[in-house]
Amino acid sequence: MTHKPQIKIPATYMRGGTSKGVFFRLKDLPEACQSPGEARDKLLLRVIGSPDPYQKQIDGMGGATSSTSKTVILAEPTQPDHDVDYLFGQVSIDKPFVDWSGNCGNLTAAVGAFAINSGFVAKDRIPENGTCTVRIWQANIKKTIVAHVPITNGEVQETGDFELDGVTFPAAEVQVEFMDPADGEGSMFPTGNLVDDLEVPGEGTLKATMINAGIPTIFVNAGDIGYKGTELQDDINSDPAALARFETIRAHGAVKMGLIQNIEEAANRQHTPKVAFVAKPSDYVSSSGKSIGAEDVDVLVRALSMGKLHHAMMGTAAVAIATASAVPGTLVNLAAGGGDRTHVTFGHPSGTLRVGAEAKEVDGQWTATKAIMSRSARVLMEGWVRVPGDSI
C-alpha cells in the first residue's frame, strides 16, 4: 500500500501566558489550507495529534490539555491601521474538530512577538530599544488588541524578571490591551440582566452572571454548587460527575445567552462559552505549594476550559472577570466586595493575577472600553512541523 510522504510546513512553537501553541503564517500553509474549511481543520488536527482516544496527543505537538492544544494563523492585516490578522483555532483533544468560535487571550501575548519576528510590523516602527506597539486584528471575534512588546537592540526581548503564576520561569513582561472587549453585535450582557436565574436540570435554579467580554462566560457562585472557590485541578478533573455537572450548566447557559439553539449543540462548541465559579477571598495553597492569603486577592475564581478545570486562568476569561468586576451588581463584583472598581486581583489554582477594565453605562446598557493585563511570551522552537501528506 502506497502512502504519501510527510510534508513540512514552516512553524514556530511558542508559549504565550499560561498556554502554548503552534504558530503559522497563512502564506506558509499548503494552498488548500490557506482558506477556511475541511483541509485546514484536518491539517491542524494532525499537527496537534487529534483526535486521540487516548487523550495524550503523543503523535502530535499538543500537550493533552486545553492550554496546549492550540494553533494560531497570522496573516497580512485586512483592517486599516493594524499590523496583522490573528486567527485562533482551539483543537479538540479527543474529537475531530477545531473550534474557531473564540480567541485565546494567553496566546495573544505571543502574537505581537511573532508578528515582529515574521515581518508583519514595518521596520521603521520597531525601536532599537524600548517598546514596539503592535495592533492586532483578532479575526475570530473581530476586535482590536494592542500588544506592547519590549525591544532590545532591535530584537524582541523575551527574557526578564516578570513572574506569572502558572508559568515556572520568569520572562519579559508584555502588556496586552483588549480594546472594546464586549460583543459588538449585541449586549455585553446577552440576557439584558446583570444576574439571571438559570434553570439547570439536577441543579435547580442558579444565580448566574452571563457576560460576553473577552469571551462568553457564565459565572455562578461557588457556594451554590457546593464548592469553596479554593479548589485545584484534581479536585474537579478527577470527578467525572462534577465535570458532567459543569457541562450541563455550560450548555444551558449557552442556550440562555443565545449562543446555541439547543443544548445538544454545545458538544460542537466546546471553546465557548466558558463556565466559572466565584467566591469571596479565602486562604488556600496553590498548585505550586505557594500560600495565598485572603488579603492577597479581591475574589476567588475557578474556570473550566474544554471541559476541564484550567490550571491557571484563560486570558480571555481574565478579561471577562475584569469587566464583570467593574460592573456593580454582577456576581463577580459582589464576590469582590461590590462597588466601583477599575481593577481586580483574583485567585486561581496557580496563584493570583491582577487585571484592569474600564466599563460604563450608557442609556441603560453597560459597555467596556478596554481591559488590560500583563503576560509574557517566548519562542520555544522554530523550524518546520511535519505531517503525513495523506492527512490533508
Side-chain angles (χ1 to χ4, degrees):
M1 185 175 180
T2 303
H3 294 277
K4 294 181 181 178
Q6 290 215 96
I7 60 174
K8 63 179 187 178
I9 304 166
T12 301
Y13 198 43
M14 294 193 74
R15 177 186 66 75
T18 56
S19 293
K20 57 184 177 180
V22 184
F23 283 61
F24 300 95
R25 295 184 302 181
L26 178 66
K27 65 181 182 181
D28 291 332
L29 296 178
E31 186 174 354
C33 303
Q34 292 185 17
S35 300
E38 182 181 6
R40 176 185 288 181
D41 287 5
K42 288 175 67 175
L43 170 67
L44 298 181
L45 283 161
R46 196 66 176 90
V47 165
I48 296 298
S50 295
D52 184 0
Y54 304 106
Q55 300 191 42
K56 302 297 182 185
Q57 293 177 326
I58 295 298
D59 199 25
M61 298 295 292
T65 70
S66 66
S67 302
T68 56
S69 190
K70 298 175 179 284
T71 56
V72 170
I73 300 172
L74 263 62
E76 294 295 330
T78 57
Q79 306 298 311
D81 301 321
H82 286 70
D83 298 297
V84 69
D85 274 19
Y86 156 40
L87 186 66
F88 169 68
Q90 177 74 56
V91 180
S92 175
I93 296 171
D94 59 347
K95 296 180 176 63
F97 78 92
V98 182
D99 196 329
W100 301 100
S101 66
N103 178 32
C104 175
N106 274 297
L107 288 188
T108 299
V111 169
F114 187 79
I116 293 170
N117 292 336
S118 299
F120 289 103
V121 180
K123 290 189 180 299
D124 61 5
R125 296 218 7 259
I126 304 172
E128 183 65 18
N129 292 285
T131 301
C132 181
T133 299
V134 183
R135 289 183 62 83
I136 301 162
W137 179 250
Q138 214 302 317
N140 301 77
I141 59 174
K142 297 177 172 43
K143 293 289 183 179
T144 297
I145 301 172
V146 181
H148 301 277
V149 182
I151 303 293
T152 300
N153 298 327
E155 296 185 348
V156 173
Q157 173 73 35
E158 296 181 299
T159 56
D161 56 9
F162 174 73
E163 296 186 353
L164 179 64
D165 285 341
V167 178
T168 304
F169 304 107
E173 181 178 3
V174 178
Q175 188 177 82
V176 182
E177 296 178 277
F178 297 81
M179 310 306 293
D180 185 26
D183 182 3
E185 298 180 359
S187 171
M188 189 164 79
F189 297 96
T191 66
N193 303 316
L194 302 184
V195 179
D196 278 283
D197 288 332
L198 180 62
E199 300 288 342
V200 181
E203 302 294 331
T205 303
L206 298 177
K207 295 295 183 183
T209 288
M210 291 175 277
I211 187 171
N212 195 345
I215 200 164
T217 306
I218 303 158
F219 292 102
V220 298
N221 288 319
D224 291 348
I225 54 174
Y227 292 110
K228 297 179 180 179
T230 59
E231 287 75 17
L232 302 184
Q233 274 193 296
D234 196 51
D235 297 325
I236 304 295
N237 295 344
S238 63
D239 185 349
L243 295 177
R245 290 177 64 203
F246 280 113
E247 181 58 21
T248 301
I249 295 170
R250 192 183 78 87
H252 282 79
V255 172
K256 187 135 186 168
M257 293 178 79
L259 298 173
I260 56 177
Q261 296 300 310
N262 55 71
I263 59 171
E264 288 75 20
E265 293 179 24
N268 291 321
R269 191 184 171 117
Q270 292 187 346
H271 183 52
T272 59
K274 303 301 186 190
V275 60
F277 53 101
V278 299
K280 293 181 179 180
S282 177
D283 298 344
Y284 71 97
V285 177
S286 75
S287 56
S288 67
K290 177 181 178 180
S291 294
I292 309 296
E295 67 279 4
D296 298 327
V297 297
D298 301 306
V299 63
L300 301 177
V301 190
R302 301 296 189 261
L304 284 81
S305 179
M306 300 295 285
K308 297 289 182 70
L309 186 72
H310 197 274
H311 73 102
M313 184 56 63
M314 306 80 80
T316 47
V319 172
I321 292 166
T323 307
S325 74
V327 179
T330 68
L331 295 187
V332 182
N333 174 269
L334 293 173
D340 296 322
R341 58 176 62 245
T342 57
H343 65 269
V344 67
T345 299
F346 64 87
H348 56 75
S350 293
T352 66
L353 181 65
R354 178 186 168 95
V355 290
E358 297 176 6
K360 60 182 179 180
E361 189 177 17
V362 179
D363 297 328
Q365 294 285 329
W366 281 95
T367 184
T369 54
K370 67 178 177 180
I372 305 171
M373 72 180 75
S374 288
R375 315 302 268 170
S376 63
R378 74 180 186 92
V379 173
L380 302 178
M381 183 180 289
E382 53 192 348
W384 297 270
V385 65
R386 296 185 182 234
V387 295
D390 55 7
S391 64
I392 58 175

